[in-house]
Amino acid sequence: MPTTTAPEIYDPYRVCPSRQLLDRIGDRWTVLIIGVLEDGPQRFSQISRRIDGISQKMLTQTLRSLEADGLVTRTVFPEVPPHVEYELSELGRTLLEPLAILRAWAVDHMDEVAAARTAAAA
């Protein structure tokens, strides 16, 4: 009897935990937060300043989700006032290359997408 491999167990085209993970990775704020954390540990306010349009609530929720998924680590330094930093975990760093490819694709093809949108709206 053949053993089941991970790709057969986790099928994002079915109701499956891997679909939830793809939803997390594909979330607009996740992609941007991971991009910011590529530069190293950041404080909440630093991340917030670098991502236009993200609310404190969405930044907090996304960071908590990324931490729960093991993609981001949160370090609290025992100081007054408290000092908290977020950084990519080893697992989170494995997303840097695929997300860089997606960012490059978006930049390289934005003119074509903009033209298609204009044509569709006409």
Side-chain angles (χ1 to χ4, degrees):
M1 182 152 133
T3 42
T4 306
T5 62
E8 293 171 2
I9 294 172
Y10 298 118
D11 182 354
Y13 296 97
R14 306 285 179 248
V15 176
C16 172
S18 63
R19 183 184 297 183
Q20 293 172 337
L21 183 57
L22 282 176
D23 287 346
R24 166 63 48 225
I25 294 166
D27 174 81
R28 79 186 224 189
W29 300 122
T30 294
V31 171
L32 298 173
I33 290 168
I34 288 174
V36 166
L37 293 177
E38 182 174 7
D39 296 337
Q42 305 274 324
R43 294 181 81 163
F44 185 93
S45 59
Q46 292 173 299
I47 299 168
S48 180
R49 279 193 299 272
R50 291 187 60 192
I51 302 175
D52 289 344
I54 192 167
S55 67
Q56 283 192 325
K57 178 183 176 183
M58 285 310 304
L59 181 54
T60 298
Q61 285 178 348
T62 307
L63 285 168
R64 284 181 182 160
S65 295
L66 290 170
E67 184 180 6
D69 289 340
L71 301 173
V72 167
T73 59
R74 180 179 183 268
T75 304
V76 180
F77 296 91
E79 300 174 356
V80 177
H83 175 110
V84 179
E85 288 185 346
Y86 299 89
E87 68 180 309
L88 292 175
S89 66
E90 187 175 326
L91 179 61
R93 284 191 291 277
T94 65
L95 283 171
L96 292 175
E97 184 177 347
L99 291 180
I101 292 167
L102 285 173
R103 280 193 309 265
W105 184 92
V107 169
D108 291 346
H109 296 281
M110 192 59 235
D111 288 340
E112 294 165 81
V113 171
R117 288 177 179 172
T118 300

